[in-house]
Amino acid sequence: MASKIAIAALVLVVALGAFIATRPDHFRIERNALVAAPPATVFALINDLHRLDTWNPFRSEPAPGVTRTFDGPHEGPGASFAYAGGEAGDGRMTIVESQPDARVVLKLEFFKPFEATNQATFTLTPERGGTRVSWAMEGENTLMGKAMSLVVNMDTMLGKEFERGLANLDAVARGGAPASSASVQAEAATPAPAL
């Protein structure tokens, strides 16, 4: 009897592993919103990592045991921000491409609690009333990411944070304080398929 249970458990684990392996190898999360400010103003807030915490939805107050380090130039390609400790774990973001008033691309490296390398792209398009800002993040789905996608919809979870960040960016670009999570009015782009 015990051997039949062990065989059934093994078959279940193999089937689950096979199903996880069929999940998409690549993910992309994207949201966009109209920011009521000219492209130059919005670009300056994204292209300077020292200004990131003025609008970033993932920002945190400095806490004991958490280190934050800036490296490279003050802004643009090569500018880097690293963090270590605390609930966010360890990671680094580096600007790898910067087109004035139009586009900023960042390499996102996560070291702890899990390793991953992704890309974030901010695209700015002039529009009546301000600037249409698109925030996209994409990367390869690791085995862990594929397994997590069975229980957590990353597009929904991170998409809400992107929407909050875009609302914050709008508020800061207009000279105000970041918006609260309850007042987010960012417009969602066409949702990506569930991860």
Side-chain angles (χ1 to χ4, degrees):
M1 180 68 165
S3 64
K4 288 183 179 180
I5 293 173
I7 290 172
L10 179 62
V11 168
L12 184 61
V13 168
V14 169
L16 181 61
F19 179 70
I20 289 171
T22 66
R23 304 297 292 163
D25 292 329
H26 186 84
F27 75 89
R28 180 178 173 87
I29 300 165
E30 181 176 357
R31 298 293 187 273
N32 72 76
L34 180 64
V35 174
T41 300
V42 178
F43 178 78
L45 289 167
I46 299 170
N47 194 51
D48 180 352
L49 297 180
H50 294 87
R51 299 175 77 181
L52 182 70
D53 275 354
T54 63
W55 61 269
N56 176 21
F58 304 104
R59 70 182 176 271
S60 60
E61 295 300 319
V66 176
T67 61
R68 298 157 49 117
T69 310
F70 292 94
D71 196 17
H74 191 78
E75 60 186 33
S80 179
F81 169 71
Y83 57 91
E87 293 179 15
D90 298 358
R92 175 177 53 228
M93 62 180 67
T94 305
I95 297 177
V96 294
E97 181 184 335
S98 178
Q99 298 173 8
D101 306 342
R103 180 178 162 99
V104 178
V105 180
L106 296 108
K107 178 180 181 182
L108 308 175
E109 298 171 280
F110 304 98
F111 307 121
K112 289 182 183 178
F114 57 88
E115 290 190 24
T117 301
N118 298 325
Q119 177 176 295
T121 304
F122 292 89
T123 305
L124 286 60
T125 306
E127 190 172 300
R128 184 178 178 154
T131 305
R132 176 67 53 182
V133 180
S134 169
W135 181 358
M137 184 173 81
E138 58 189 315
E140 298 305 313
N141 255 338
T142 63
L143 182 61
M144 177 65 77
K146 290 179 180 185
M148 284 179 54
S149 74
L150 297 177
V151 294
V152 176
N153 185 321
M154 295 300 286
D155 182 80
T156 299
M157 186 176 78
L158 286 177
K160 288 179 183 177
E161 295 302 316
F162 285 17
E163 291 166 9
R164 188 163 61 101
L166 290 167
N168 289 345
L169 183 61
D170 178 51
V172 172
R174 287 184 289 116
S180 70
S181 58
S183 65
V184 172
Q185 298 297 321
E187 300 168 26
T190 304
L195 302 178

